[in-house]
Amino acid sequence: MYFKFTFCPIILLLWASLSFAQNVNVVIHGAASIAKTDDNFVCVTLDWWPAEKCDYNQCPWGKAGILNLDLRYGVLINAIKAFNPLRIKVGGSLQDNVVYKVGEVSSCPNFMKREDGLFGFSQGCLSMERWDQLNRFFNHTRVKLTFGLNALFGINESQTEKGLWIGDWQPQNTRDFMQYTISKGYKVNSYEFGNQLSGSGMGAKVDAKQYGKDVIVLKNLVKELYAHPETQPKVLGPGGFYEEKWFNTFLEVSGQGIVDGLTHHIYNLGPGDDPNMMNKILDPSYLNQVSQTYKGVSDVVNKFRPQLGAWVSESGGALNGGSKDVSRTFADGFWQALIGGNYGLLNATTFVPNPDYYGALLWHRLMGSTVLVVTKESDPNLRVYAHCAKKKPGVSLIFINLSKDRSFNITLSNAKPGDAGKPNYEFVGKQNREEYHLRALTGDIKDDIVCLNDVPMVQTDSEDIPAMDPKLVDASTPISIAAQSIAYVTIRYFEAPACV
């Protein structure tokens, strides 16, 4: 194996050094954790969309859908293996229009354009031959699988209210599908019930009380078929946009111990053809608005099911496949389907990683599940997050600089308990820290090539993911964050009691 690397243009390094630099003190409060994330925090979707899916005068899905994706490409396999493991959700908008060819289901139609169909398509089908192929692929790439189930099977759209589906969910097709899956020894970590059926819905909706009753049926089915608790898949839902009243009613009806994770979707950038998309991505006040959505979901979890987690099961940024001028570029990293549309981590045609793939992979490798408080006094364009380092001692931080003309020199402080219980804000690094700096190749954040520590991340003849080695820097010196860049920094032996 070999890698052919060229360095990013020197002119960019000179430009970064000439931009206005602001000194910032960042304080890490490592005495206690404020939250926990799943070890597989990064999750991507494989979607059902066929090649005929088009929006905004473009058809960006190609052969990237679950039914037509070529699973033999080395680039695709290596990109998934690099996460070891990657959580993949098989699902998306058309999942409530998919039947499984098993048991009593004998015909297996393809998705066809249909004006009166859900999202403009007829019913589609997953054959067990294709399910076998997918599971061989998942096993080979060590995927942690979430499967999105059809929650509209056997029920019909209301004749009096457009978009509302009524009646009791019929579980037989799902039962047959699960029995086949179990008989083959295929591993499913979790089942998500339905897609974007909550609240006002997207294309279709289900009343919160009805959804609550249906998910109880699903939970009982999972308990029946997966007899051993240690191998029993989780049940997730509702996998849609958060609306407080709907979520409250659903959880009141479903009761204790039914849903293992409360899932919601975030597409806070709006439709993919929004001409103001770039301004939204770089506006810290706009990006902060999404915290209210997460707070709402967290409040519902704490109110009804303290043992539940709040999951984001889709977060493509922009709706309808993303923005063709933004979602595939370095700019989207400031902000995930695995492949397909414009917002996939991989190019839908070549399978070569898009810029935000490398940011997602660094997060997965470096950021542990324990979240720490971090405070700063600075320009809001600098965003900072701190976690205990993953699987090793120390802390890992991510710095996101949204400013186009200002760099930051970061001095770290450690708010650890000192004499008489007063915080000690001193920190002097004793070893080299590990730094990973991401920025656009040309300096234009619409570039589709990212540099890691000034080395372009480009695919090689070996089809392996390029080496992603850190830059070792004297830990006693300030951390320099260039304009419109992202940096991951790991500091070993940082005294944070919450990380012990």
Side-chain angles (χ1 to χ4, degrees), residues 286-486:
Y286 183 88
L287 297 178
N288 289 343
Q289 294 174 17
V290 76
S291 65
Q292 294 304 310
T293 300
Y294 187 79
K295 182 180 184 302
V297 176
S298 297
D299 287 346
V300 171
V301 167
N302 293 331
K303 178 180 178 182
F304 289 98
R305 311 287 182 270
Q307 76 277 18
L308 288 183
W311 294 38
V312 179
S313 57
E314 283 189 24
S315 59
L319 284 164
N320 295 331
S323 169
K324 67 184 180 70
D325 297 321
V326 176
S327 297
R328 293 179 291 185
T329 69
F330 181 73
D332 199 52
F334 288 114
W335 165 217
Q336 227 136 58
L338 173 64
I339 189 168
N342 293 306
Y343 48 34
L345 293 182
L346 308 180
N347 182 286
T349 303
T350 66
F351 303 97
V352 170
N354 286 323
D356 51 357
Y357 170 88
Y358 296 101
L361 183 55
L362 284 173
W363 180 288
H364 180 78
R365 289 177 173 179
L366 302 176
M367 308 297 279
S369 60
T370 300
V371 185
L372 305 175
V373 172
V374 57
T375 56
K376 64 182 176 64
E377 294 179 3
S378 74
D379 190 313
N381 284 304
L382 177 65
R383 305 168 81 82
V384 187
Y385 308 90
H387 288 222
C388 295
K390 193 167 189 175
K391 297 181 180 179
K392 291 183 179 180
V395 298
S396 290
L397 302 98
I398 175 173
F399 299 91
I400 303 175
N401 186 352
L402 301 175
S403 175
K404 65 180 181 180
D405 56 10
R406 177 172 299 179
S407 60
F408 295 95
N409 292 325
I410 311 297
T411 301
L412 288 179
S413 297
N414 184 6
K416 63 181 181 179
D419 296 336
K422 295 181 179 180
N424 177 2
Y425 291 103
E426 295 180 358
F427 170 70
V428 177
K430 298 179 181 179
Q431 296 186 359
N432 288 336
R433 60 176 178 259
E434 302 161 18
E435 297 188 2
Y436 304 79
H437 293 264
L438 298 170
R439 60 182 178 83
L441 173 65
T442 64
D444 182 350
I445 60 173
K446 286 189 177 181
D447 201 322
D448 60 0
I449 296 180
V450 62
C451 290
L452 171 62
N453 294 336
D454 300 324
V455 178
M457 294 287 98
V458 294
Q459 201 63 44
T460 66
D461 294 339
S462 66
E463 296 188 332
D464 285 310
I465 299 302
M468 300 176 68
D469 298 321
K471 177 171 64 174
L472 300 181
V473 181
D474 183 347
S476 65
T477 61
I479 301 168
S480 297
I481 312 297
Q484 291 189 334
S485 73
I486 299 170

Side-chain angles (χ1 to χ4, degrees), residues 83-98:
F83 281 82
N84 191 32
L86 176 63
R87 182 186 293 278
I88 289 182
K89 185 186 90 167
V90 170
S93 299
L94 290 180
Q95 78 179 51
D96 295 304
N97 220 17
V98 177

Side-chain angles (χ1 to χ4, degrees), residues 71-86:
L71 304 173
R72 298 169 297 176
Y73 278 91
V75 179
L76 175 65
I77 291 169
N78 292 335
I80 297 173
K81 276 186 172 182
F83 281 82
N84 191 32
L86 176 63

